[in-house]
Amino acid sequence: MSRIGTKPVAVPNGVTVTIQDRKVTVQGPKGTLEIEHRPEVTVQWEADESRVTVQRQDNSKPAKAYHGLTRALVANMVQGVTEGFKKELEISGVGWTARLQGKTLFLSVGYADVREVTIPDDVTVEVQGNKMIVTGADRQAVGQVAATIRWHRPPEPYNGKGIKYSDEIIVRKEGKAFAGGS
C-alpha cells in the first residue's frame, strides 16, 4: 500500500480542479497547470470535501509506483498554483556576474564568452547582485531552469568558485601541500 498515494490532496479556496478522462487541470491565482496521468491509476475530484484522491487499478508493481507519483504530481500542482516554487542560486567568483535582459540571462562566469540561458515563459528569474532567484508555478520547470543555470559553472571544491544553490554546502578539499625538504 502506497503511503503517499493514499493521502488525499486538500484543495484550498480559490483553486479549481477539472478532470476530463486522464487529463487533470488545476487553476489558481498563480496560473494553470495540467498533467495527463497514467491509465494504471484514476484521479477523482471530491467537491463536497474539496480534495483530490488517487486510486490504483490493481496491485501490479507499475500501478503501485504510479499511485504515489500521480498523487505527488497533483499535490505539486495545487501548491504551485497557490504558493509557487522558488530556487535561489549564488555566484561566487571574482568578477563573475549575471544580468537579465528580457527573457535571456547572460552569465559571465570565467569563460572567454558570455553564456546565455533562455528563460521559459512560465518561469521568472530575478538577479540581485550575485544572487539569482528562479520562481514559477511549475516545480519541474523551476528546477530545470535552476539546474541549467548551475550547469554553466558548477561549484568546484578547491576555491569554492562557481554557481551554487543557496542552501548547498560545498565540501572543500585541501590543495597540494608543500612537501618541504630537499
Side-chain angles (χ1 to χ4, degrees):
M1 186 71 101
S2 172
R3 293 182 186 183
I4 297 294
T6 54
K7 287 184 181 177
V9 179
V11 179
N13 292 334
V15 176
T16 309
V17 177
T18 310
I19 301 172
Q20 294 177 341
D21 297 328
R22 290 182 16 216
K23 189 175 186 179
V24 179
T25 307
V26 180
Q27 285 182 312
K30 297 231 182 222
T32 303
L33 296 173
E34 60 184 37
I35 61 164
E36 188 169 332
H37 64 81
R38 297 282 304 194
E40 289 88 353
V41 295
T42 51
V43 179
Q44 295 176 343
W45 166 242
E46 297 175 2
D48 56 333
E49 296 183 27
S50 187
R51 66 183 190 177
V52 176
T53 56
V54 180
Q55 284 93 25
R56 60 178 179 253
Q57 302 291 345
D58 54 22
N59 282 331
S60 66
K61 194 168 184 173
K64 289 179 181 179
Y66 292 126
H67 188 205
L69 171 72
T70 305
R71 189 263 178 209
L73 291 175
V74 171
N76 286 341
M77 288 170 41
V78 170
Q79 182 181 349
V81 298
T82 54
E83 303 166 19
F85 292 99
K86 176 170 88 168
K87 291 266 188 185
E88 294 182 15
L89 297 147
E90 295 176 356
I91 298 177
S92 53
V94 177
W96 291 7
T97 61
R99 67 181 165 85
L100 190 63
Q101 189 172 18
K103 280 295 203 176
T104 307
L105 179 69
F106 295 95
L107 297 171
S108 176
V109 287
Y111 294 113
D113 60 339
V114 176
R115 303 294 174 106
E116 295 181 16
V117 178
T118 305
I119 308 299
D121 291 334
D122 57 344
V123 175
T124 59
V125 175
E126 186 180 332
V127 178
Q128 300 171 347
N130 68 337
K131 291 189 179 194
M132 293 170 283
I133 302 170
V134 182
T135 57
D138 188 1
R139 184 176 189 169
Q140 191 272 333
V142 169
Q144 184 62 50
V145 169
T148 302
I149 293 170
R150 184 182 181 277
W151 173 82
H152 285 283
R153 185 63 95 161
E156 53 96 10
Y158 294 102
N159 296 325
K161 298 190 314 187
I163 301 173
K164 70 177 193 86
Y165 297 110
S166 62
D167 57 351
E168 181 179 9
I169 297 171
I170 300 168
V171 178
R172 301 291 296 270
K173 291 184 179 179
E174 187 177 326
K176 291 184 179 180
F178 178 66
S182 37

